[in-house]
Coordinates of all heavy atoms in Angstrom, one line a residue:
M1 N -93.3 22.8 -14.5 CA -92.4 23.5 -15.3 C -91.8 22.6 -16.4 O -92.0 21.4 -16.4 CB -91.3 24.1 -14.4 CG -90.6 25.3 -14.9 SD -91.8 26.6 -15.3 CE -90.9 28.0 -15.2
G2 N -90.9 23.1 -17.2 CA -90.2 22.3 -18.2 C -88.7 22.4 -18.0 O -88.2 23.1 -17.2
K3 N -88.0 21.7 -18.9 CA -86.6 21.7 -18.8 C -86.1 22.9 -19.7 O -86.6 23.2 -20.7 CB -86.0 20.4 -19.2 CG -86.1 20.0 -20.7 CD -85.4 18.7 -20.9 CE -85.6 18.3 -22.4 NZ -84.9 17.1 -22.7
K4 N -84.9 23.4 -19.2 CA -84.3 24.6 -19.9 C -83.3 24.0 -20.9 O -82.5 23.1 -20.6 CB -83.6 25.5 -18.9 CG -84.5 26.0 -17.9 CD -85.2 27.2 -18.3 CE -86.0 27.8 -17.2 NZ -86.7 29.0 -17.5
I5 N -83.3 24.5 -22.2 CA -82.3 24.2 -23.2 C -81.9 25.4 -23.9 O -82.6 26.4 -23.9 CB -82.9 23.1 -24.1 CG1 -84.1 23.6 -24.9 CG2 -83.2 21.8 -23.5 CD1 -84.6 22.6 -25.9
I6 N -80.7 25.4 -24.5 CA -80.2 26.5 -25.3 C -80.3 26.1 -26.8 O -79.8 25.0 -27.1 CB -78.8 26.9 -24.9 CG1 -78.8 27.4 -23.4 CG2 -78.2 28.0 -25.8 CD1 -77.4 27.6 -22.9
L7 N -80.9 26.9 -27.6 CA -81.0 26.6 -29.0 C -81.2 27.9 -29.8 O -81.4 29.0 -29.3 CB -82.1 25.6 -29.3 CG -83.5 25.9 -28.8 CD1 -84.2 26.9 -29.6 CD2 -84.3 24.6 -28.9
D8 N -81.1 27.7 -31.1 CA -81.4 28.8 -32.0 C -82.9 28.9 -32.1 O -83.5 28.1 -32.8 CB -80.7 28.6 -33.4 CG -80.9 29.7 -34.3 OD1 -81.2 30.9 -33.9 OD2 -80.6 29.6 -35.5
C9 N -83.5 29.8 -31.5 CA -85.0 29.9 -31.3 C -85.6 30.2 -32.6 O -85.4 31.3 -33.2 CB -85.3 30.9 -30.2 SG -87.1 31.1 -29.9
S10 N -86.5 29.4 -33.1 CA -87.2 29.6 -34.3 C -88.4 30.6 -34.1 O -88.9 31.1 -35.1 CB -87.8 28.3 -34.9 OG -88.7 27.7 -34.0
L11 N -88.7 30.9 -32.9 CA -89.8 31.9 -32.6 C -89.3 33.4 -32.7 O -90.0 34.2 -33.3 CB -90.4 31.7 -31.2 CG -91.0 30.3 -31.0 CD1 -91.3 30.1 -29.5 CD2 -92.2 30.1 -31.9
C12 N -88.1 33.6 -32.3 CA -87.6 35.0 -32.3 C -86.3 35.2 -33.1 O -85.9 36.3 -33.4 CB -87.4 35.5 -30.9 SG -85.9 34.8 -30.1
G13 N -85.7 34.1 -33.5 CA -84.5 34.2 -34.3 C -83.2 34.4 -33.6 O -82.2 34.7 -34.2
K14 N -83.2 34.3 -32.2 CA -82.0 34.5 -31.4 C -81.6 33.2 -30.8 O -82.4 32.3 -30.7 CB -82.3 35.5 -30.2 CG -82.8 36.9 -30.7 CD -83.1 37.7 -29.5 CE -83.7 39.1 -30.0 NZ -84.1 39.9 -28.8
Y15 N -80.3 33.1 -30.5 CA -79.7 31.9 -29.8 C -79.7 32.2 -28.3 O -79.1 33.1 -27.8 CB -78.3 31.7 -30.3 CG -77.6 30.4 -29.8 CD1 -77.9 29.2 -30.4 CD2 -76.8 30.4 -28.8 CE1 -77.4 28.1 -30.0 CE2 -76.2 29.3 -28.3 CZ -76.5 28.1 -28.9 OH -75.9 26.9 -28.5
H16 N -80.6 31.4 -27.6 CA -80.7 31.7 -26.1 C -81.4 30.5 -25.5 O -81.7 29.5 -26.1 CB -81.5 33.0 -25.9 CG -82.9 32.9 -26.4 ND1 -84.0 32.4 -25.7 CD2 -83.5 33.2 -27.6 CE1 -85.1 32.5 -26.4 NE2 -84.8 32.9 -27.6
E17 N -81.6 30.6 -24.2 CA -82.2 29.6 -23.4 C -83.8 29.7 -23.5 O -84.3 30.8 -23.4 CB -81.9 29.7 -21.9 CG -82.4 28.7 -21.0 CD -82.0 28.8 -19.6 OE1 -82.6 29.6 -18.9 OE2 -81.0 28.1 -19.2
V18 N -84.4 28.5 -23.8 CA -85.9 28.5 -23.9 C -86.3 27.3 -22.9 O -85.5 26.5 -22.5 CB -86.4 28.2 -25.3 CG1 -86.0 29.3 -26.2 CG2 -85.9 26.9 -25.8
T19 N -87.6 27.3 -22.6 CA -88.1 26.3 -21.8 C -88.9 25.3 -22.7 O -89.8 25.7 -23.4 CB -89.1 26.9 -20.7 OG1 -88.4 27.8 -20.0 CG2 -89.6 25.8 -19.8
E20 N -88.6 24.0 -22.6 CA -89.3 23.0 -23.3 C -90.4 22.5 -22.4 O -90.2 22.1 -21.3 CB -88.4 21.8 -23.7 CG -89.2 20.7 -24.4 CD -88.3 19.5 -24.8 OE1 -87.9 18.8 -23.8 OE2 -88.0 19.3 -25.9
K21 N -91.7 22.7 -22.8 CA -92.8 22.3 -22.0 C -93.6 21.2 -22.7 O -93.5 21.0 -23.9 CB -93.7 23.5 -21.8 CG -93.0 24.6 -21.0 CD -94.0 25.7 -20.7 CE -93.4 26.8 -19.8 NZ -94.3 27.9 -19.5
T22 N -94.5 20.5 -21.9 CA -95.4 19.5 -22.5 C -96.8 19.8 -21.9 O -96.9 20.4 -20.9 CB -94.9 18.1 -22.1 OG1 -94.9 18.0 -20.6 CG2 -93.6 17.8 -22.6
R23 N -97.7 19.3 -22.7 CA -99.1 19.4 -22.2 C -99.9 18.2 -22.9 O -99.5 17.8 -24.0 CB -99.8 20.7 -22.5 CG -99.9 21.1 -23.9 CD -100.5 22.4 -24.1 NE -100.3 22.9 -25.5 CZ -100.2 24.2 -25.8 NH1 -100.3 25.1 -24.9 NH2 -99.9 24.6 -27.0
L24 N -101.0 17.8 -22.3 CA -101.8 16.8 -22.8 C -102.8 17.5 -23.8 O -103.5 18.4 -23.4 CB -102.6 16.1 -21.7 CG -103.3 14.8 -22.1 CD1 -102.4 13.8 -22.7 CD2 -104.0 14.2 -20.9
A25 N -102.8 17.1 -25.0 CA -103.7 17.7 -26.0 C -104.7 16.6 -26.5 O -104.5 15.4 -26.4 CB -102.9 18.2 -27.2
K26 N -105.7 17.1 -27.2 CA -106.7 16.2 -27.7 C -107.1 16.6 -29.1 O -107.3 17.8 -29.4 CB -108.0 16.2 -26.8 CG -109.0 15.2 -27.1 CD -110.2 15.1 -26.2 CE -110.4 16.0 -25.1 NZ -111.6 15.8 -24.4
V27 N -107.3 15.7 -30.0 CA -107.8 15.9 -31.3 C -108.8 14.9 -31.7 O -108.8 13.7 -31.2 CB -106.6 15.9 -32.3 CG1 -106.0 14.5 -32.4 CG2 -107.0 16.4 -33.7
M28 N -109.7 15.2 -32.6 CA -110.7 14.2 -33.0 C -110.3 13.7 -34.4 O -110.1 14.4 -35.4 CB -112.1 14.9 -33.2 CG -113.2 13.8 -33.5 SD -114.8 14.5 -33.4 CE -115.0 14.6 -31.6
I29 N -110.1 12.4 -34.5 CA -109.8 11.7 -35.7 C -110.8 10.6 -36.0 O -111.1 9.7 -35.2 CB -108.4 11.0 -35.6 CG1 -107.3 12.1 -35.3 CG2 -108.0 10.3 -36.9 CD1 -105.9 11.5 -35.1
K30 N -111.4 10.8 -37.2 CA -112.5 9.9 -37.6 C -113.6 9.7 -36.6 O -114.0 8.6 -36.3 CB -111.9 8.5 -38.0 CG -111.0 8.6 -39.3 CD -110.5 7.3 -39.7 CE -109.6 7.4 -40.9 NZ -109.1 6.1 -41.3
G31 N -113.9 10.8 -35.9 CA -115.0 10.7 -34.9 C -114.6 10.3 -33.6 O -115.4 10.2 -32.7
E32 N -113.3 10.0 -33.3 CA -112.9 9.5 -32.0 C -111.9 10.5 -31.4 O -111.0 11.1 -32.1 CB -112.2 8.2 -32.1 CG -113.1 7.0 -32.5 CD -112.4 5.7 -32.4 OE1 -111.6 5.5 -31.5 OE2 -112.7 4.8 -33.2
D33 N -112.0 10.8 -30.1 CA -111.1 11.7 -29.5 C -109.8 10.9 -29.2 O -109.8 9.8 -28.7 CB -111.6 12.1 -28.1 CG -112.7 13.2 -28.3 OD1 -112.7 13.9 -29.3 OD2 -113.5 13.3 -27.4
V34 N -108.7 11.5 -29.6 CA -107.3 10.9 -29.4 C -106.5 11.9 -28.5 O -106.4 13.1 -28.9 CB -106.6 10.7 -30.7 CG1 -105.2 10.1 -30.5 CG2 -107.4 9.7 -31.6
Q35 N -106.0 11.4 -27.4 CA -105.1 12.3 -26.6 C -103.7 12.0 -26.9 O -103.3 10.8 -27.1 CB -105.4 12.1 -25.1 CG -106.8 12.6 -24.7 CD -106.9 12.5 -23.2 OE1 -106.3 11.8 -22.5 NE2 -107.9 13.3 -22.7
Y36 N -102.8 13.0 -26.8 CA -101.4 12.8 -27.0 C -100.6 13.9 -26.2 O -101.2 14.9 -25.8 CB -101.1 12.9 -28.5 CG -101.4 14.3 -29.1 CD1 -100.4 15.2 -29.3 CD2 -102.7 14.6 -29.6 CE1 -100.7 16.4 -29.9 CE2 -102.9 15.8 -30.1 CZ -101.9 16.7 -30.3 OH -102.2 17.9 -30.8
V37 N -99.4 13.6 -26.0 CA -98.5 14.6 -25.3 C -97.9 15.5 -26.4 O -97.3 15.1 -27.3 CB -97.4 13.9 -24.5 CG1 -96.5 14.9 -23.9 CG2 -98.0 12.9 -23.5
E38 N -98.1 16.8 -26.2 CA -97.6 17.8 -27.1 C -96.4 18.5 -26.5 O -96.4 18.9 -25.3 CB -98.7 18.8 -27.3 CG -98.4 20.0 -28.3 CD -99.6 20.9 -28.5 OE1 -100.0 21.6 -27.5 OE2 -100.1 20.8 -29.6
F39 N -95.3 18.6 -27.2 CA -94.1 19.3 -26.8 C -94.0 20.6 -27.5 O -94.3 20.7 -28.7 CB -92.8 18.5 -27.2 CG -92.7 17.2 -26.5 CD1 -93.3 16.0 -27.0 CD2 -92.0 17.1 -25.3 CE1 -93.2 14.8 -26.3 CE2 -91.9 15.9 -24.6 CZ -92.5 14.7 -25.1
Y40 N -93.6 21.7 -26.7 CA -93.5 23.0 -27.3 C -92.5 23.8 -26.6 O -92.1 23.4 -25.5 CB -94.8 23.7 -27.4 CG -95.4 24.1 -26.0 CD1 -95.3 25.3 -25.5 CD2 -96.2 23.1 -25.3 CE1 -95.8 25.7 -24.3 CE2 -96.7 23.4 -24.1 CZ -96.5 24.7 -23.6 OH -97.0 25.0 -22.4
Y41 N -92.0 24.9 -27.2 CA -91.0 25.8 -26.6 C -91.6 27.1 -26.2 O -92.4 27.7 -26.9 CB -89.8 26.0 -27.6 CG -89.1 24.8 -27.9 CD1 -89.2 24.2 -29.2 CD2 -88.3 24.1 -27.0 CE1 -88.6 23.0 -29.6 CE2 -87.7 22.9 -27.4 CZ -87.8 22.4 -28.6 OH -87.1 21.3 -28.9
D42 N -91.2 27.6 -25.0 CA -91.6 28.8 -24.5 C -90.5 29.8 -24.6 O -89.5 29.7 -23.9 CB -92.1 28.7 -23.0 CG -92.7 29.9 -22.5 OD1 -93.2 30.8 -23.2 OD2 -92.7 30.1 -21.2
C43 N -90.6 30.8 -25.4 CA -89.6 31.8 -25.7 C -89.9 33.1 -24.8 O -91.0 33.6 -24.9 CB -89.5 32.2 -27.1 SG -88.4 33.6 -27.5
P44 N -88.9 33.5 -24.0 CA -89.2 34.7 -23.1 C -89.2 36.0 -23.9 O -89.6 37.0 -23.4 CB -88.1 34.7 -22.1 CG -87.0 33.9 -22.8 CD -87.6 32.9 -23.7
Y45 N -88.8 36.0 -25.2 CA -88.7 37.2 -26.0 C -89.9 37.4 -26.9 O -90.0 38.4 -27.6 CB -87.5 37.2 -26.8 CG -86.2 37.1 -25.9 CD1 -85.4 36.0 -26.0 CD2 -85.9 38.1 -25.0 CE1 -84.3 35.9 -25.2 CE2 -84.8 38.0 -24.2 CZ -84.0 36.9 -24.3 OH -82.9 36.8 -23.5
V46 N -90.9 36.5 -26.9 CA -92.1 36.6 -27.7 C -93.3 36.7 -26.9 O -93.5 35.9 -25.9 CB -92.2 35.4 -28.7 CG1 -93.5 35.5 -29.5 CG2 -91.0 35.3 -29.6
T47 N -94.1 37.7 -27.1 CA -95.4 37.9 -26.3 C -96.5 37.0 -26.7 O -96.3 36.3 -27.8 CB -95.8 39.4 -26.5 OG1 -96.2 39.6 -27.8 CG2 -94.8 40.4 -26.1
M48 N -97.5 37.0 -26.0 CA -98.7 36.1 -26.3 C -99.3 36.4 -27.6 O -99.8 35.5 -28.3 CB -99.7 36.2 -25.2 CG -99.3 35.6 -23.9 SD -99.0 33.9 -23.9 CE -100.7 33.3 -24.0
N49 N -99.2 37.6 -28.1 CA -99.8 37.9 -29.4 C -98.8 37.8 -30.6 O -99.0 38.2 -31.7 CB -100.4 39.3 -29.5 CG -99.4 40.4 -29.2 OD1 -98.2 40.2 -29.0 ND2 -99.9 41.6 -29.1
G50 N -97.6 37.2 -30.3 CA -96.6 36.9 -31.3 C -95.6 38.0 -31.6 O -94.7 37.8 -32.5
K51 N -95.6 39.1 -30.9 CA -94.6 40.1 -31.1 C -93.3 39.8 -30.4 O -93.2 39.4 -29.3 CB -95.1 41.5 -30.6 CG -96.3 42.0 -31.4 CD -96.7 43.4 -31.0 CE -97.9 43.8 -31.8 NZ -98.2 45.2 -31.5
V52 N -92.2 40.1 -31.1 CA -90.8 39.9 -30.6 C -90.4 41.1 -29.8 O -90.5 42.2 -30.2 CB -89.8 39.6 -31.7 CG1 -88.4 39.4 -31.1 CG2 -90.2 38.4 -32.5
L53 N -89.9 40.9 -28.6 CA -89.5 42.0 -27.7 C -88.1 42.5 -28.0 O -87.3 41.8 -28.5 CB -89.6 41.6 -26.2 CG -90.9 41.1 -25.7 CD1 -90.8 40.7 -24.3 CD2 -91.9 42.3 -25.8

């Protein structure tokens, strides 16, 4: 799980609690795979297809 924070959510435009999550991501740069930790926010008011509830 991630940590809970309160902010002005850029995903839905409301001020509320969101979950900050991390995951290991991979990208290819100049032919080499580079792994990095990606931080993102999970908004409970936005569906998987991007619609605001």
Side-chain angles (χ1 to χ4, degrees):
M1 202 59 153
K3 68 179 180 177
K4 303 276 186 181
I5 58 173
I6 297 175
L7 55 73
D8 187 12
C9 181
S10 62
L11 301 171
C12 70
K14 299 176 184 175
Y15 187 79
H16 63 89
E17 183 176 83
V18 297
T19 306
E20 182 182 68
K21 296 184 176 182
T22 61
R23 64 180 163 209
L24 191 59
K26 188 179 357 177
V27 66
M28 186 172 285
I29 299 175
K30 295 184 180 180
E32 292 188 37
D33 285 334
V34 177
Q35 289 187 342
Y36 62 97
V37 177
E38 181 176 70
F39 294 88
Y40 65 98
Y41 297 108
D42 185 25
C43 173
Y45 302 114
V46 177
T47 63
M48 290 296 287
N49 61 4
K51 292 187 179 183
V52 178
L53 300 176

